Amino acid sequence: MESPENDSQTAQQIILRWDSTDTQLPMIFQGDRQEIDRYLQAVDQIQSSIQSTTLSDDDGVDSQSTKVNNAIQIAMARLEDEFRNILITNSTPIDTESLTESTSSAHLTPRTSTDNDEYSTRGEDDVVLQRDPSSSLLERIGSSTKFVNCRSMNSIREQDLIPPESISDLRCIAQRMITAGYFRECVQVYGSVRKSVVDGSFKKLGVEKLSIGDIQRLEWEALNAKIVRWIRAAKVCIRVLFASEKRLCKQIFEDLGTAADDACFMETVKGPAIQLFNFAEAISISRRSPEKLFKILDLHDSLLDLLPDIDDVFDSKAAESISIQVTEILSRLAEAARGMLSEFENAVLREPSKVPVPGGTIHPLTRYVMNYISLISDYKQTLGELIVSKPATASRNPGDSSSPDIDFTDHEEQSPLALHLIWIISILHFNLEGKSKHYKDNSLAHLFIMNNVHYIVQKIKGSQELREMIGDNYLRILTRIFRQAATNHQRATWIGVLHCLRDQGLHSTGSFSSGVSKSALRERFKSFNAIFDEVHRTQSLWLIPDEQLREELRISILEKLIPAYRSFLGRFRNHIESGRHPENYIKFSVEYLETAVLDLFEGYAVNQHSRRRSQ
């Protein structure tokens, strides 16, 4: 049986034979298994010798200690190279294509505008990973490389990044380096190699290295697209990439002391994690503008959904700063969303355009605002949690005419978010009333209000969620407003027309039957013809885009006009036809008037002579 001294000398010889300064030597762990085991046993023998060496006056012991220490340094240099080589050999970035495909197939409920010509921000790129494991996901990932295996831990999906036999070798090396006091060197080698793999996966996922300043200088259109890509990438980074890196660290370093697994994990992913979350942080502190609200909410929802997984992946003391950063980002995104809603309210109130829309049709502001509100209702769960206070309307001074006067005591049972929607509609109506004053024709001004408020009502009725939030009480108020505008339009237009069909002023003194003034009657018919011609010519160019509303208004006009004209014509027709050139005065038949009214509000000119003449 060999003595311990001989064992140590044999171990030193094995270690010196594999001195890493000899660049011609192959890698031990790429060779024969017996040689690997022999080398590891030699390292263990040297470490044992170091522990058993004691102070002695014997110069031979000091000499032996020096040799052992030199041997352990040579061994650690060799193991460091072997450790690095095994890691590099297994440094394939994750299969991001199959992962992003699986996330793209797991959509949230779509949040889209109800009008395809209006404001819309959410699309097919907004996706989440489903919390339940998917067989198709397992199949796709399982076929990507020979090592890959994916298991589910709640919403986290971990991949085996390195084959088991290589993990065993890495753990053997790490254990000996840490025991020998080479913990820092082991961590640095591991972190530098694995971080380059993570960087490669980031590149494949489209996660760019941009500073906060770079992100804030991007145009919104470019930034909008990057947010969509970031949301998709963040899900893969947290639930697959970082989670898998953490698992690998545990497989190699767990229970090796000094929290080696946590240290190696943070050495690997801290930089990439900061890079990933700096994007969201830059968005959270960027300039607030209403068009960003829905992407901000998408970002908020995505991070909130990921938060349990982030806390799970970054659960160590060393990783605490990452979880804190994400929590702070969420808080700033929430505050940004509240600020953007307030900015939107102010923008609607102050929207300055003064050029009347042709024909009194629906104003672009009305379409924009109502589709924006429809999207708000789609995000009601998130915004309902973020919006906790009523609209700031109390600051209005008595007699201030720069904003609408609204009393929310009638809506006390509604949520703060619902009150904000009611407030937005109120200030939209207030702005529209101001814009209506730029029409020179009062009748057209009333038609404009009717069209726009009717559009508001229809948008509310067309969305169950929006209708529930607004409430039937306020919906009835809006319905009264557009119906009153329709009544005001008819009065402004047709009172003058119907005034021509009254009896007053047509009779001279004497008996009723023989006292009709033919000259006054002729003037009355001429006035009626001229006024109706003008109304027909003008209001045919006006537009009521809603077909049902257009028909209802025409029917209402006919119900007043036709009986009055038929009665007037029946009483006085003979007086005109008994004179000369009756066709100059009785120009319209009842049937023509009925047809002519159907020309109104189509938005284009009609031929006034094609159907004219009385019969």
Side-chain angles (χ1 to χ4, degrees), residues 441-447 485-500 531-532 534-536 538-539 542 553 557 560-561 600-601:
D441 190 323
N442 286 337
S443 180
L444 182 55
H446 295 310
L447 188 83
T487 299
N488 292 341
H489 159 77
Q490 290 184 63
R491 287 175 179 169
T493 299
W494 297 100
I495 281 180
V497 176
L498 296 176
H499 189 73
C500 295
I531 295 174
F532 185 84
E534 179 62 20
V535 169
H536 182 254
T538 302
Q539 298 198 15
W542 297 357
L553 190 58
I557 292 168
K560 297 175 180 64
L561 175 64
L600 304 181
F601 317 124

Side-chain angles (χ1 to χ4, degrees), residues 83 174 177-178 182-191 253 264:
F83 193 74
M177 290 184 71
I178 292 171
Y182 284 75
F183 168 74
R184 191 66 239 165
E185 289 80 356
C186 186
V187 169
Q188 287 175 345
V189 170
Y190 182 89
F253 296 100
C264 287

Side-chain angles (χ1 to χ4, degrees), residues 383-394:
L383 282 171
E385 295 170 359
L386 300 183
I387 306 300
V388 294
S389 59
K390 295 180 180 180
T393 62

Side-chain angles (χ1 to χ4, degrees), residues 419-430:
L419 296 182
H420 276 270
L421 297 187
I422 291 172
W423 173 240
I424 291 170
I425 293 171
S426 297
I427 57 181
L428 171 61
H429 175 226
F430 180 82

Side-chain angles (χ1 to χ4, degrees), residues 4 139 152 252 420 531 536 595:
E139 290 166 2
S152 174
I252 297 173
H420 276 270
I531 295 174
H536 182 254
T595 305

Side-chain angles (χ1 to χ4, degrees), residues 224-247:
N224 187 45
K226 289 184 185 297
I227 290 173
V228 172
R229 287 197 297 272
W230 186 92
I231 289 172
R232 184 194 299 115
K235 294 174 184 3
V236 177
C237 288
I238 300 301
R239 291 172 171 165
V240 181
L241 181 58
F242 292 166
S244 299
E245 289 292 341
K246 181 177 182 178
R247 180 167 179 251

